[in-house]
Every structure is written in C-alpha cells, then in structure tokens.
Amino acid sequence: MRDTALETLLRRDRAIVAAALVTLAAISWIYILWLASAMDMAAAPASHGSMDMGSAMDMPMDMPMSTPMETQEGAMTSMSAAAVGPWTAATFAYAFIMWAVMMVGMMVPSATPMILLYARVGRQAAQQGKPFAATGFFAIGYLSAWILFALVAVLGQWLLDRALLLTPALASASAVLSGIVLIAVGLFQFTPLKDRCLSQCQAPLLFIQNHGGFRRKAVGAFGLGVRHGLYCVGCCWALMALLFVGGVMNVLWIAAIAIFVLAEKVVPGGRILSRIAGVALVLAGLWQLTALL
C-alpha cells in the first residue's frame, strides 16, 4: 500500500511539472501567433507599394522590418529598417523578446523528457530524505542557454537587416543567401559537433550521470540545466538559421523546425533522420543556387 501511494505521488508530481511545461509552451505559441498576425496586418499595406504609418504604429513591437519601395523600372525591392531608420534600444529589446519567446516555445517540447526525468528522480530522493534542488532550477538553467542564444539571433537579424537582406516577413531576400544557408545547415548535420551534442540530448539519464549526477543545491541544478541547454544549442543552432530562409514569423515554418528538433531527440534512429535532413537541405540549397544560372 505504501508503494502504491508513493507511485501515485510520483505520477502527480510529474503531472504538475508536465502541466507547467505545457502551459509555458502554450503561452509562448499564443504570443508567436499573435505577433505573426500583427506583423501580417502591418505589412499588408506594403504589398501595395507603401507602408501605412498608422498600421505600423499599431504593431505590438517596434520591430525592424522591410518596407517595399517601387523602383523606376516598376520592380519591387525591399528597403530594410536601416534605410527607414536605425535600430534603437527599444528595437533590440523587442526583437530579443520575440526570439526569446520563440526559443522557449520551440524548445520546451524537446526538453520535456529530461525535465520530467529530473522531477521523477527528485521526488524519489525527497521520499528517501535526500531531496534534490527543485526541478524549476534545472528548467530555468536550460531555458537560460536558449535565451542567451536569442541574443545571438538578434545580432544576426540586425546584420542581415543592415545589409538589406530581409523581406517584410523577416525572411531572406536573396536566393543566394538562402542557398548558402541551406547548404551550410545541411553539411552541419554531418559534423562531429552535431553528433556529440545530439547524443547528449537523446539520453537524458546518461547525460546526468556523465555530468556529476543530480544536484542537491539550487546553483548546481541551475548549472546542470545550463550545461544541458548548451548541448542542445550546439545541436540545434544551425537549424534555427533556417528561420531566416522560411521567415522568422512564418508560423508553419517555426512549427516544422520545432517538430523536427523533437523528432531528432526522441524518435529511435534520430541520427539517421538528422542525416537524411542534411542531404535534403544540401540538395535544396544547390537547387536554389543552380536556379539562378
């Protein structure tokens, strides 16, 4: 009877953690959908050749984005925020929030098995009188690594924007750039770095055992979460660059990348899946480049 009560408590504890993760992911995706919708409405006047300032002011974020202008030949070219106005501190802040929330929404599902494992073992340890630090410290550490990556992503967006290489949808405005990114990401799927980082993400318990085990102190749990998050960044950072190909605010593209990241980690033979995707990306990139010839 005592064992049954313990198992019931363990299931309840994991259910609470799972509910918290689902809620966090849901809030992130609601924000992404809302932001994507707002950007579509603000960019709609641009499809007719000019940006309506009232629509732009109604945007929820002072985001850097391109506004089309018609050339003398009648073709539509994109004018980035660099031409409209320089990035301000508010621009950086809003872009960072966008990327940070997007990373949380995309990565929480793939991190859930690790976090639930931590919660389960932590509860068992508490029942034995040797409690670990709360699961939240580990989860916050993991997400901190991706929030740090969001800063790098904002820098990349800024550089592309200054080079006039982004469309109003925050996608690559250059077929050459898209082709290069696709090939580079595809080749990365075959690198030792990808192999090493993905192996750390595919076996949660083995990762914890190889990095000193579970932590009793909050600082240690946070640090373990950061380390796991950095391995995850090392595994997936190149895939995130694909957002600039399909569109940073393309919800279907975001979802597709998030699903693939999850599949790499939890589907048996995920390494094979990774290599198949690498071949497909390289071929797609070559097709983009050869289409220009």
Side-chain angles (χ1 to χ4, degrees):
M1 179 64 70
R2 182 178 179 182
D3 291 339
T4 301
L6 176 60
E7 289 300 321
T8 300
L9 184 60
L10 288 173
R11 287 195 297 269
R12 183 178 302 170
D13 183 73
R14 295 181 69 192
I16 293 173
V17 174
L21 294 174
V22 169
T23 301
L24 179 61
I27 291 174
S28 299
W29 276 99
I30 289 171
Y31 177 81
I32 292 170
L33 291 169
W34 171 70
L35 182 57
S37 176
M39 287 187 64
D40 285 342
M41 289 188 294
S47 63
H48 300 289
S50 63
M51 171 68 76
D52 179 77
M53 293 306 294
S55 297
M57 292 300 293
D58 289 338
M59 288 183 65
M61 296 169 50
D62 180 21
M63 290 201 58
M65 59 184 295
S66 303
T67 58
M69 78 178 299
E70 193 168 337
T71 63
Q72 293 179 349
E73 294 76 18
M76 297 301 292
T77 60
S78 80
M79 177 185 294
S80 71
V84 176
W87 281 47
T88 65
T91 305
F92 274 102
Y94 287 136
F96 170 69
I97 292 172
M98 176 192 74
W99 277 98
V101 172
M102 188 159 52
M103 292 302 99
V104 171
M106 294 177 71
M107 301 313 300
V108 163
S110 64
T112 296
M114 168 68 85
I115 296 173
L116 290 179
L117 172 66
Y118 193 100
R120 184 176 187 278
V121 177
R123 174 60 67 183
Q124 290 174 330
Q127 292 298 314
Q128 297 171 2
K130 300 178 181 179
F132 298 144
T135 306
F137 291 108
F138 177 85
I140 292 173
Y142 174 86
L143 294 177
S144 294
W146 277 105
I147 290 173
L148 179 62
F149 173 80
L151 286 174
V152 179
V154 172
L155 177 60
Q157 180 182 335
W158 176 73
L159 291 173
L160 291 174
D161 188 69
R162 299 298 294 182
L164 307 181
L165 291 173
L166 290 182
T167 69
L170 300 181
S172 169
S174 166
V176 173
L177 175 62
S178 296
I180 292 174
V181 171
L182 287 168
I183 293 172
V185 176
L187 292 176
F188 177 77
Q189 297 295 94
F190 295 89
T191 62
L193 176 60
K194 174 72 177 189
D195 288 340
R196 180 183 178 188
C197 292
L198 182 57
S199 65
Q200 297 292 327
C201 297
Q202 289 175 324
L205 185 57
L206 185 61
F207 166 82
I208 293 176
Q209 292 174 344
N210 290 339
H211 293 84
F214 294 88
R215 303 297 199 273
R216 297 188 182 282
K217 295 183 179 180
V219 173
F222 176 83
L224 186 63
V226 170
R227 182 172 297 183
H228 181 57
L230 291 176
Y231 273 115
C232 193
V233 170
C235 173
C236 304
W237 70 269
L239 293 172
M240 298 305 167
L242 294 176
L243 290 169
F244 288 116
V245 176
V248 175
M249 282 289 99
N250 184 329
V251 176
L252 293 179
W253 193 241
I254 296 172
I257 295 174
I259 292 172
F260 178 77
V261 168
L262 176 62
E264 272 192 323
K265 296 179 180 180
V266 302
V267 173
R271 194 66 196 93
I272 298 176
L273 178 64
S274 177
R275 294 186 183 277
I276 292 174
V279 172
L281 288 169
V282 170
L283 292 177
L286 291 174
W287 179 82
Q288 280 269 36
L289 296 179
T290 56
L292 299 175
L293 300 179

